[in-house]
Amino acid sequence: AVANIGVVGLAVMGSNLARNLASREGNKVAILNRSRSKTDELLAAHPEAEFVGTFSYEEFAASLAKPRTAIIMVKAGGPTDAVIDELVKVFEPGDIIVDGGNAYFPDTIRREKAVRETGINFVGAGISGGEEGALTGPSIMPGGSDESWITLGPILKSIAAVAEGEPCVTHVGHDGAGHFVKMVHNGIEYADMQLIAEAYDLIRRGTGKTPAEIAEVFAEWNKGELESYLIEITAEVLRQVDAETGKPLVDVILDQAGAKGTGAWTVQTALSLGVPVSGIAEATFARSLSSHPEQRAAARSFPGPDEEFTVADADAFIEDVRQALFASKIIAYSQGFDEIRAGAAEYNWTIDNGAVSRIWRGGCIIRAQFLNRIADAYAEQPELPLLASAPYFADALARGQAAWRRVVIAATQAGIPSPAFSSSLAYYDGIRAERLPAALVQGQRDFFGAHTYKRIDKEGTFHTQWSGDRTEIEAEDTH
Ligand code: 6PG
């Protein structure tokens, strides 16, 4: 046994993670892949990593020092289960199996329970940062047992990104907590991306600026409170010119967005938990809408507004869009953290939202200057009921709300879809409302289904006898 850590699955993410591990002091990395050629290629391409190449699960297990620790980097779903089954056969109690893929957290809960019965530890770890992050330093969100964290913690700290002097990894919580938090990370990623895309679309159609010119707007925004990886790469994408046609690349890319499922999981889970993640939901639906060309063709002749959309003062409009983007982004993160709070309560995890915000400051796709403010907010008030209500964010929303409304009005009048901007604003107005028409919904429910209601002026549960004399009676609470 010579290696202290192993990696199974050597596609790009796996091989980059293996190289990252090998480059850190004190690590010796065993590698294994289903097909032999990938292992041979990696050994040949990176002799400096001094990998221990292995070609069977037995050889892999024999090469690892105890407690054996292996990170699986294969496709989520069936392939992950297949590798776990093989590892369980050759590992022993106390060893640690880590799934570093984008697993759906209920699968992680199920796998953890099954593997634990063999005495082996199973850790579902979310890893964010794409191919580059895997190689140079990702943000890592491990779940699993406290016991496995003792061995795994130092290894993961050695390869994680560093932000403000701290490694971007923390023991998020037990069993599926790590993959749950990674799922919400991706949901926020969807919202962030959609909001940026809406901002681009509005500026382009309102001011007539070219993609290259709008790239400069984003580069400028990246110097302020919106500073983030996604804003930075947006400027890069908008600057790119297609070699074949000489057009901006963004104009030749088919406008149908793909999705591998993590955004949908975030929304499905939020629906079950009763958490309104409307920004994330609209971002996910916007991708779905884009990907139905036949429906879009069928609707293409629907009329839009009569007037051309032009803004009188381009700079003022761009500043409004910037503020609308920042305000909507606050809502998206606030909703995401709300889902983590609700998930922790439902699944009995102790998740420190402050720690989550700190490990998202570096390495991951949603890394942003603004996560420092989130970390400050949770440091100030760990049990914050609503992130958006922390003073810094409440102030930013108050400052930005007028511009936000102007942008949503302009988009609506111009017939430019802005589902993420407008749903975030609707959430803002909903959450701050003194009274909501939910009272009427309760009345309707009571009318057709005797679902009862509560009153603002006295304790108890009530029902109006709608089909009788319409007097009110006290009733059993049926929700
Ligand atoms: C990350 C990314 C990563 C991946 C997503 C993209 O955190 O590094 O989120 O996990 O790029 O799977 O998701 P879609 O393909 O659904 O956009």
Side-chain angles (χ1 to χ4, degrees):
V2 287
N4 67 318
I5 178 89
V7 176
V8 185
L10 302 176
V12 192
M13 286 293 285
S15 50
N16 281 1
L17 200 77
R19 286 172 59 200
N20 184 357
L21 282 160
S23 72
R24 312 291 165 154
E25 192 66 39
N27 286 338
K28 186 83 179 158
V29 187
I31 54 174
L32 175 68
N33 194 65
R34 193 161 51 100
S35 68
R36 187 188 175 103
S37 58
K38 277 249 164 62
T39 314
D40 286 332
E41 278 165 29
L42 189 60
L43 287 169
H46 294 284
E48 79 290 347
E50 296 179 5
F51 288 125
V52 184
T54 71
F55 300 93
S56 69
Y57 281 96
E58 290 74 20
E59 204 187 337
F60 180 72
S63 74
L64 287 166
K66 292 179 191 175
R68 297 183 186 88
T69 308
I71 306 183
I72 304 174
M73 297 296 290
V74 303
K75 260 179 91 136
T80 302
D81 282 313
V83 173
I84 294 171
D85 288 348
E86 293 298 332
L87 285 175
V88 165
K89 285 184 210 155
V90 293
F91 274 23
E92 290 171 308
D95 290 348
I96 304 163
I97 299 174
V98 183
D99 172 16
N102 264 335
Y104 184 35
F105 77 94
D107 288 338
T108 304
I109 293 176
R110 165 180 61 78
R111 289 172 180 144
E112 202 272 343
K113 200 160 170 271
V115 174
R116 191 175 354 117
E117 275 164 23
T118 69
I120 297 168
N121 291 292
F122 182 80
V123 177
I127 301 182
S128 177
E131 296 171 11
E132 180 72 18
L135 184 62
T136 58
S139 172
I140 313 176
M141 293 146 253
S145 67
D146 296 337
E147 185 193 33
S148 43
W149 177 242
I150 296 169
T151 306
L152 202 56
I155 298 172
L156 297 183
K157 281 180 185 166
S158 77
I159 57 163
V162 175
E164 313 287 322
E166 287 178 42
C168 294
V169 57
T170 189
H171 184 206
V172 172
H174 293 156
D175 57 68
H179 275 139
F180 184 94
V181 165
K182 174 59 174 36
M183 174 190 77
V184 175
H185 164 284
N186 281 32
I188 295 174
E189 172 184 304
Y190 276 48
D192 239 344
M193 292 167 73
Q194 174 66 21
L195 289 167
I196 293 171
E198 289 178 16
Y200 149 77
D201 199 24
L202 283 162
I203 293 175
R204 186 155 186 193
R205 290 164 69 172
T207 70
K209 282 185 188 292
T210 63
E213 287 165 341
I214 301 171
E216 295 318 308
V217 172
F218 281 104
E220 198 50 42
W221 288 359
N222 204 35
K223 295 178 187 153
E225 59 195 359
L226 277 169
E227 185 193 330
S228 63
Y229 171 73
L230 284 169
I231 295 276
E232 181 192 322
I233 65 157
T234 299
E236 299 275 332
V237 175
L238 289 175
R239 256 184 222 125
Q240 186 72 14
V241 174
D242 175 46
E244 217 172 295
T245 58
K247 289 182 181 166
L249 179 68
V250 73
D251 287 348
V252 297
I253 296 178
L254 193 67
D255 60 345
Q256 296 173 23
K260 292 200 198 75
T262 49
W265 295 341
T266 311
V267 180
Q268 285 163 350
T269 305
L271 287 170
S272 312
L273 292 169
V275 179
V277 294
S278 44
I280 298 170
E282 288 296 352
T284 309
F285 286 139
R287 290 194 191 188
S288 315
L289 185 152
S290 78
S291 302
H292 286 286
E294 67 303 338
Q295 293 178 349
R296 292 173 61 188
R300 191 134 307 141
S301 60
F302 289 177
D306 293 331
E307 277 157 51
E308 282 275 304
F309 179 46
T310 43
V311 298
D313 181 340
D315 289 342
F317 181 67
I318 290 170
E319 174 54 17
D320 276 359
V321 173
R322 189 190 69 78
Q323 293 196 32
L325 176 55
F326 192 56
S328 305
K329 183 179 164 103
I330 291 171
I331 297 303
Y333 281 67
S334 187
Q335 293 180 340
F337 276 99
D338 194 20
E339 182 164 351
I340 295 176
R341 180 200 52 73
E346 173 72 17
Y347 295 98
N348 289 316
W349 296 317
T350 307
I351 301 182
D352 174 353
N353 275 358
V356 170
S357 65
R358 291 198 298 279
I359 65 167
W360 285 352
R361 292 180 301 185
C364 63
I365 304 296
I366 64 169
R367 63 186 181 263
Q369 182 54 38
F370 146 106
L371 278 153
N372 281 309
R373 304 285 80 77
I374 300 182
D376 293 346
Y378 282 114
E380 186 82 14
Q381 205 185 331
E383 299 304 325
L384 199 57
L386 184 74
L387 177 61
S389 71
Y392 176 86
F393 299 114
D395 283 357
L397 291 170
R399 268 186 285 113
Q401 60 118 8
W404 199 4
R405 294 183 196 287
R406 285 194 294 273
V407 170
V408 171
I409 291 167
T412 308
Q413 276 178 340
I416 298 174
S418 60
F421 273 176
S422 43
S423 70
S424 309
L425 180 56
Y427 174 89
Y428 171 83
D429 283 329
I431 204 88
R432 71 179 189 82
E434 182 71 35
R435 288 269 303 158
L436 287 169
L440 178 57
V441 173
Q442 284 295 79
Q444 293 162 335
R445 293 178 70 238
D446 189 57
F447 187 100
F448 62 68
H451 293 298
T452 75
Y453 51 85
K454 296 200 185 295
R455 298 181 53 104
I456 59 168
D457 52 1
K458 56 182 174 196
E459 287 290 308
T461 304
F462 302 91
H463 167 61
T464 291
Q465 300 178 97
W466 297 103
S467 45
D469 62 1
R470 301 207 165 182
T471 55
E472 184 180 76
I473 52 167
E474 283 227 43
E476 188 99 331
D477 189 353
T478 60
H479 298 288

